[in-house]
DNA sequence: TCGTTGCTTTACCATTTGGTAAAATTTAGA
DNA sequence: TCTAAATTTTACCAAATGGTAAAGCAACGA
């Protein structure tokens, strides 16, 4: 009947695929796609290399699986941006959420950044199919808020870029910030700073 | 007498080292350190691989040379931040300068970003020796401006982070922005947006 | 308890990669 | 022009890397 039988994965399968993806995240985010090796991933997962390849078809498949899963988590907070909420608070909440994710999931942020840096050769489809439509939708929501006078006159697209860049900076450039801030915890003032910055930017002038 | 005789490089040496570094910038920024190969660099430079290695001691030396040279150019605009100038205009000018660099030298920006992403394993010394002292000095300048009431109350370090992240985003995440903006030129509105954002942020409230 | 399926290991292999030795060639200066 | 130094080419190589074949082992339902 059904050519494609999904066949729920066994306990061993679930566990090992998880082990592999966890190890792969560490290796890919640290060494980049080109610098990562199956041996390093296998070692990290506590499996042999051929055993790895029993669960995934190859290096690329592991990498793409990781990116796809990650992209979903990554877009979640943007999806939640609610047209019916208070504009300034909705956006500030998005900033907070995004910063928390960067601070808590730096490896994921770095993996994504690394892929985009190299021209997104392996996830361009995801970007155009999933990210772009969502992005366009949310830009329109923001534009509506602006037109209603509830937000300052801002370019919605570039506003989103600024939110992404400032928040992800604390993950992607963590090696730099930790050198520059010394013992000080970056997270400490990051929240306050971004809240201050975006509140000033977003607050409409003649309200 | 002098154990180290600098010996000015020949015309051929100057030309070929230039060719190699240009090709290497392209390859390293596209494929990352781990994904880059000497063969690809040699091909890009129009030289044979052993010929490459006549000019540089190895892959790492090419990469580090590139990063060191880049870091100098990169820090220039920050050095120019003048304590005696008008605070808001000095900082906005820095933002402009930094954005121009990102738009005109995206490969350099990506190379640097890639290195930091991976934990800056090959330039930590540069960061602590060159960048950190400069960073600390400029933070103090900004703090002085704030104390004098010429700037809004801002965390100087995080202000600089925000300037870096928002400007470099247009280079490092160019693959993403070009998908999201479609045919529209990112540079077009980027300048206006960042000017607006940072002017609002920096302007002291009770002046 | 038997056999089928799922999982793991051992033993490989072709290619790529960073790098070298040394001969051959070009260039620059006397 | 001649020669010494600088540059380039040819021919390699050892290690690493992504991946495969097939045998061995474990799990599990009938």
């Amino acid at each position: 009947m059904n050519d494609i039988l999904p066949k729920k994965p066994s306990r061993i399968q679930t566990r090992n695929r998880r082990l592999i993806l966890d190890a792969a995240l560490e290796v890919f985010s640290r060494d980049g796609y080109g610098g990562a090796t199956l041996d390093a991933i296998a070692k990290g997962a506590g499996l042999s290399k051929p055993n790895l390849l029993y669960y995934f078809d190859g290096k690329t498949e592991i990498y793409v699986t990781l990116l796809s899963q990650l992209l979903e988590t990554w877009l979640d907070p943007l999806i939640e941006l609610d047209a019916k909420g208070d504009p300034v608070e909705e956006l500030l909440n998005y900033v907070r959420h995004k910063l928390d994710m960067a601070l808590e999931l730096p490896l994921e942020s770095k993996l994504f950044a690394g892929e985009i840096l190299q021209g997104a050769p392996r996830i361009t489809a995801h970007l155009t199919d999933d990210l772009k439509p969502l992005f366009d939708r949310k830009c329109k929501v923001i534009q509506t808020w602006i037109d209603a006078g509830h937000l300052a006159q801002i370019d919605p697209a570039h506003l989103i870029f600024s939110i992404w860049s400032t928040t992800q900076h604390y993950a992607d450039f963590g090696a730099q910030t930790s050198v520059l801030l010394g013992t000080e915890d970056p997270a400490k003032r990051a929240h306050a700073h971004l809240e201050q910055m975006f509140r000033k930017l977003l607050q409409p002038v003649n309200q």
Side-chain angles (χ1 to χ4, degrees), chain A:
Chain A
M1 305 254 163
N2 202 345
D3 277 1
I4 301 135
L5 42 162
K7 241 183 200 172
K8 81 168 71 170
S10 71
R11 257 174 281 107
I12 296 178
Q13 248 174 65
T14 314
R15 172 175 55 89
N16 283 352
R17 284 182 69 98
R18 184 76 270 136
L19 282 174
I20 292 168
L21 289 175
D22 286 349
L25 174 61
E26 198 116 351
V27 173
F28 278 126
S29 65
R30 171 166 39 84
D31 300 334
Y33 178 81
T37 67
L38 290 180
D39 287 294
I41 297 172
K43 199 174 173 186
L47 299 172
S48 68
K49 186 166 57 172
N51 204 176
L52 257 202
L53 293 164
Y54 175 77
Y55 292 100
F56 289 92
D57 270 349
K59 185 178 173 179
T60 307
E61 202 200 287
I62 303 178
Y63 182 77
V64 172
T65 303
L66 222 40
L67 273 176
S68 305
Q69 293 188 1
L70 151 65
L71 210 63
E72 282 180 44
T73 334
W74 226 240
L75 295 186
D76 259 358
L78 185 55
I79 294 172
E80 288 174 20
L81 203 73
D82 184 8
K84 281 169 285 186
D86 177 71
V88 173
E89 290 312 316
E90 281 293 320
L91 283 165
L92 286 180
N93 197 48
Y94 177 56
V95 171
R96 258 173 251 130
H97 211 129
K98 208 81 212 316
L99 178 57
D100 280 336
M101 283 184 65
L103 294 172
E104 281 161 33
L105 306 170
L107 298 189
E108 279 83 347
S109 183
K110 286 180 186 182
L111 184 77
F112 181 71
E115 174 66 12
I116 303 293
L117 251 192
Q118 304 194 351
R122 297 168 199 91
I123 54 152
T124 316
H126 273 282
L127 293 187
T128 49
D129 297 351
D130 303 339
L131 179 56
K132 177 97 166 64
L134 176 63
F135 178 80
D136 288 342
R137 226 160 49 234
K138 296 306 177 175
C139 279
K140 273 193 194 124
V141 169
I142 295 172
Q143 191 57 54
T144 311
W145 285 338
I146 295 171
D147 294 341
H150 298 137
L151 274 185
Q153 297 264 353
I154 288 167
D155 187 299
H158 291 262
L159 166 64
I160 293 177
F161 293 161
S162 289
I163 294 175
W164 286 347
S165 60
T166 50
T167 52
Q168 287 172 10
H169 186 84
Y170 291 98
D172 303 342
F173 285 71
Q176 184 178 246
T177 55
S178 71
V179 165
L180 296 181
L181 294 180
T183 57
E184 188 186 332
D185 179 23
K188 215 39 201 313
R189 295 183 170 274
H191 260 110
H193 167 74
L194 293 185
E195 165 115 19
Q196 177 190 7
M197 181 164 92
F198 285 107
R199 193 176 285 280
K200 276 193 184 179
L201 173 63
L202 297 172
Q203 211 66 249
V205 271
N206 42 359
Q207 195 178 354

